[in-house]
Amino acid sequence: MTFYTLQYLQNHRDVNQILLYVLGGLGAIILVVALWLYLKNRFETKYRDLSIIMVLLMLLLFGLNYSTLEQHKSQSLSSAQVEPFLRSVAREKGIKVADVAINSTTLTDGSIVKIKNKYYRVALSTDRSSYTLERTHVIAKKITVKKGA
């Protein structure tokens, strides 16, 4: 069973966003260079062909990224709820946020929270504005905690 700390969740989200921006920016730069070379040397068709290929590749990349972006946006909204939840649990128990971990990247009813060496099941209200922690025991012997770097 894998648990995630607040620092890991924050770093993981930032890396995914940076990767999407870098890929989009790199594709846009290649497209601009190919179009500039084509306009400079109109008689050489290799630049025109390269420009067309890059436009098609960028359209494909934007289509894939749009789908991923919509999925990422809904996942970010769900994972954004985890951060205040972990802070609230740490404040309630009087411990550091680094000592609290959750077994899911999104806040769901029935998630398991690891507080130091104890485990609690989360029961959320219907509007997700309150929660109850119920002591539980984990059967899984292999437990890893992913901490942010």
Side-chain angles (χ1 to χ4, degrees), residues 28 41-42 47 66 91 93-94 104 108 117 131 133 144 146:
N41 305 309
R42 289 185 184 217
Y47 296 121
Y66 180 75
R91 188 174 50 250
K93 296 292 183 180
S104 174
T108 57
N117 291 327
Y131 64 89
L133 295 177
T144 57
K146 293 192 176 185

Side-chain angles (χ1 to χ4, degrees), residues 73-85:
K73 197 185 309 182
S74 68
Q75 192 177 38
S76 289
L77 289 174
S78 297
S79 65
Q81 295 173 343
V82 173
E83 295 177 23
F85 170 74

Side-chain angles (χ1 to χ4, degrees), residues 32-89:
V32 167
V33 168
L35 284 172
W36 180 73
L37 288 171
Y38 168 64
L39 292 174
K40 185 177 178 185
N41 305 309
R42 289 185 184 217
F43 294 114
E44 292 188 41
T45 59
K46 65 181 176 183
Y47 296 121
R48 182 194 64 179
D49 295 342
L50 181 61
S51 298
I52 292 170
I53 290 170
M54 284 310 300
V55 166
L56 292 174
L57 189 61
M58 289 299 293
L59 287 174
L60 178 66
L61 182 65
F62 286 136
L64 291 174
N65 280 341
Y66 180 75
S67 172
T68 305
L69 186 65
E70 288 297 317
Q71 191 176 31
H72 180 70
K73 197 185 309 182
S74 68
Q75 192 177 38
S76 289
L77 289 174
S78 297
S79 65
Q81 295 173 343
V82 173
E83 295 177 23
F85 170 74
L86 291 177
R87 290 183 198 282
S88 174
V89 169

